[in-house]
Every structure is written in structure tokens, then in C-alpha cells.
Amino acid sequence: MVEPTTKESRTQAVYTTLNHIPVGKVTSYGKLASYAGLPGYGRYVGKLLRELPADTSLPWHRVIRSSGQIAFPPGSESFTRQKTRLEKEGVSVINGRIAIKDFQWTP
């Protein structure tokens, strides 16, 4: 895949790839960036997801740290929202962690 070159094309590549993560699966910020043709842009993905509007239909909650952890502080409103959404999709979250090997999305 050719790396997107403009900010707009990078953003679109990330959103398109994010939208392909199926229900019940997760990926990391770095892997999402790589799948979008942007290896090394994990932090960029995190920034984009942070800037999403609250009412977005994109499945932002399916993106976690490469360690399997939810990136938000435990007990925060955002942590609880992400954990709840993942559990509703059948993803087990134990102590803020997801077993990547069991729920990893690979396109």
C-alpha cells in the first residue's frame, strides 16, 4: 500500500481502516496505523481518535494499547464507556486489559 501523503488522505485512510474493525475485535493504535498504510503513525492515530466528536459512529472503542490495555485512566468516564462498549460486543475486559491473542483483528 502506498503511504497517504496529505493530512486529509492520512486521516481518511485511518477512518476507513478503523471502520473495518469488526464487532468483537480490537487492534492497537500502531497496528491500525500500519493497516492504514501509515507505519510508525500510532501516535497520530491516537490524536485523531481523541479529536473525534462524541457522537461519532466510528468504532474508536476497538482501538487499545499494544499491551492490551485501555488507554484511558481506570475509573474515568472514557475508560468506563470504552469498557462497556467492548463488553457489549463480547470482548472480555479484565482489570482494564483485553487478551489481544483472543480478540486481535487482522485484516
Side-chain angles (χ1 to χ4, degrees):
M1 174 180 259
V2 175
E3 183 177 313
T5 56
T6 66
K7 183 177 193 284
E8 184 177 294
S9 65
R10 286 191 299 267
T11 299
Q12 188 58 50
V14 170
Y15 288 169
T16 298
T17 306
L18 174 63
N19 214 29
H20 282 89
I21 304 172
V23 171
K25 296 292 182 180
V26 297
T27 195
S28 69
Y29 296 95
K31 286 202 180 278
L32 179 60
S34 290
Y35 297 152
L38 298 164
Y41 277 71
R43 288 180 188 249
Y44 178 79
V45 168
K47 182 179 182 300
L48 282 180
L49 298 186
R50 245 187 336 269
E51 295 172 351
L52 285 172
D55 63 347
T56 185
S57 62
L58 289 170
W60 60 269
H61 60 282
R62 297 179 188 149
V63 184
I64 58 174
R65 290 181 175 160
S66 60
S67 64
Q69 291 178 296
I70 290 176
F72 298 109
S76 69
E77 182 181 328
S78 297
F79 176 94
T80 302
R81 189 172 350 125
Q82 185 171 14
K83 180 179 183 284
T84 300
R85 288 183 180 191
L86 289 170
E87 289 175 338
K88 282 183 180 177
E89 294 184 355
V91 176
S92 295
V93 181
I94 301 167
N95 295 324
R97 285 188 170 294
I98 293 96
I100 295 249
K101 64 182 173 113
D102 295 333
F103 298 101
Q104 177 69 51
W105 172 62
T106 306

